[in-house]
Amino acid sequence: MTAWFLVDVFAERPFTGNPAAVVLLEAPPDEAWMRAIAAEVHQPTTAFVWREGDAWGVRWFTPARELPLCGHATLAAAHVLGQDEIVFRHGSGTLTASRGDGRIWLDFPAVPVASHPAPADALEAIGLTSVAGFARNDDDHVIMLDTAAQVEALRPDIPRILRLPAGRVIVTAPGGADADFTSRVFVPAVGLDEDHVTGSAHAVLGPLWAARLGRDRLEAVQASARTGRLSLRVGGGRVHVGGHAVTTSEGTLTLHGPSSGP
C-alpha cells in the first residue's frame, strides 16, 4: 500500500489556500500509474516523491498532464516529510525547501519579465479596455491594474485566455488585505482555469514588486476563491517564497503500484 496525504498550502486553516496531494514512494514509479492516480484523486496537483540518496525525487501531475514545476505541491511534500531542509530533484534541476520563521520556504530563481504595450487580445481576455501596465516573458503575461479590488472583481474570458500566446496569465495590483500586492493567476493551458495559489508565479511577481516598491521583503495575497497568503524574500537573483500548510487528510492507496515511502 502507498501512503498519501492531502494538504492545503499557503494556508493557516483548512479549506483555504491551494490543495495538493502528496504520494510517498520507495522508488520512481511508472508514469502511467502516476497519471492514473493524479486523475483519480483529482486535486489541482499531485506530487509523487521518493528518496534519491540525500535528496528526494519529485514529479508533479495535474489530473490532465505532467507539470515541469509546481511550487505549492512541493511545499506540501516538504510539509509532509517534516525535515528542516530538503532538496527536491526534478527533470530540469533542483528545488530546495527549508523551515524558518514558522513557515516553509521554497528557493526559486527570479524570473524576469520585460515591459511591453498591452496587446488588445490580452485586454479582451480579462474584460478591460485599459490597464496600468503589461509585461511578459516566453511563458507569462503579467497584467498590472491600479487596485486590488480590480483584481478581485475580474471575470476573465477563459477561452480567450486559452488562445493567448502564454502558458500563464498573471493579473496583479498593489495592496490588498494586509498585503503589499494582490494577484490572480489563470492557467487554462494546463487544465486549470484559475490557480488557487501558486508559488512559482511569485518568482515572477516578487522581483517585479520588489523593484516597484523598493524593498526586498513582501507579503502577498492571491485572491482566488480559496485565497492564499505568501511571504517573499527577494535578492541575489533568487526569490524565497514562504507559506504555511495544513494536512486535511491522510491514508493509503490500496491500488496495485509502488510501495510506500519511509
Side-chain angles (χ1 to χ4, degrees):
M1 292 187 292
T2 301
W4 84 289
F5 303 79
L6 186 59
V7 181
D8 288 339
V9 181
F10 299 118
E12 295 185 68
R13 56 187 177 85
F15 317 125
T16 62
N18 200 355
V22 179
V23 180
L24 298 185
L25 305 163
E26 290 182 348
D30 175 74
E31 181 172 316
W33 185 85
M34 288 188 288
R35 291 182 183 276
I37 294 298
E40 180 73 15
V41 301
H42 207 73
Q43 296 303 308
T45 310
T46 299
F48 297 87
V49 295
W50 59 91
R51 175 70 81 173
E52 285 189 349
D54 59 354
W56 290 82
V58 61
R59 290 176 72 174
W60 307 276
F61 289 83
T62 74
R65 56 169 285 185
E66 183 171 9
L67 298 177
L69 180 67
C70 182
H72 92 276
T74 307
L75 194 148
H79 169 74
V80 168
L81 293 171
Q83 300 171 10
D84 288 339
E85 184 164 331
I86 305 172
V87 176
F88 292 97
R89 293 182 180 141
H90 55 91
S92 56
T94 62
L95 181 58
T96 300
S98 60
R99 292 176 182 266
D101 300 328
R103 296 170 176 80
I104 299 172
W105 296 87
L106 301 177
D107 180 4
F108 291 101
V111 179
V113 288
S115 295
H116 287 268
D121 56 355
L123 298 183
E124 291 169 359
I126 64 167
L128 297 176
T129 57
S130 65
V131 295
F134 180 83
R136 70 186 184 197
N137 56 34
D138 290 343
D139 296 317
D140 303 302
H141 280 184
V142 181
I143 299 170
M144 287 161 274
L145 305 183
D146 290 314
T147 69
Q150 288 177 302
V151 176
E152 293 165 2
L154 278 181
R155 296 295 181 267
D157 185 328
I158 296 300
R160 282 183 181 267
I161 286 180
L162 189 58
R163 293 197 294 270
L164 294 175
R168 181 166 60 184
V169 173
I170 303 169
V171 185
T172 187
D178 299 318
D180 295 298
F181 67 90
T182 297
S183 69
R184 290 173 67 188
V185 179
F186 304 99
V187 284
V190 300
L192 300 172
D193 288 355
E194 182 170 2
D195 200 329
H196 298 304
V197 196
T198 168
S200 61
H202 286 77
V204 178
L205 291 169
L208 181 70
W209 285 110
R212 285 175 167 254
L213 299 175
R215 56 182 181 272
D216 59 8
R217 295 201 172 213
L218 303 164
E219 295 295 319
V221 168
Q222 192 160 329
S224 67
R226 290 177 61 103
T227 307
R229 303 191 66 88
L230 310 92
S231 299
L232 308 178
R233 302 188 303 224
V234 182
R238 311 294 299 183
V239 182
H240 289 82
V241 179
H244 301 276
V246 180
T247 301
T248 59
S249 63
E250 58 184 276
T252 54
L253 297 172
T254 59
L255 304 174
H256 177 70
S259 300
S260 61

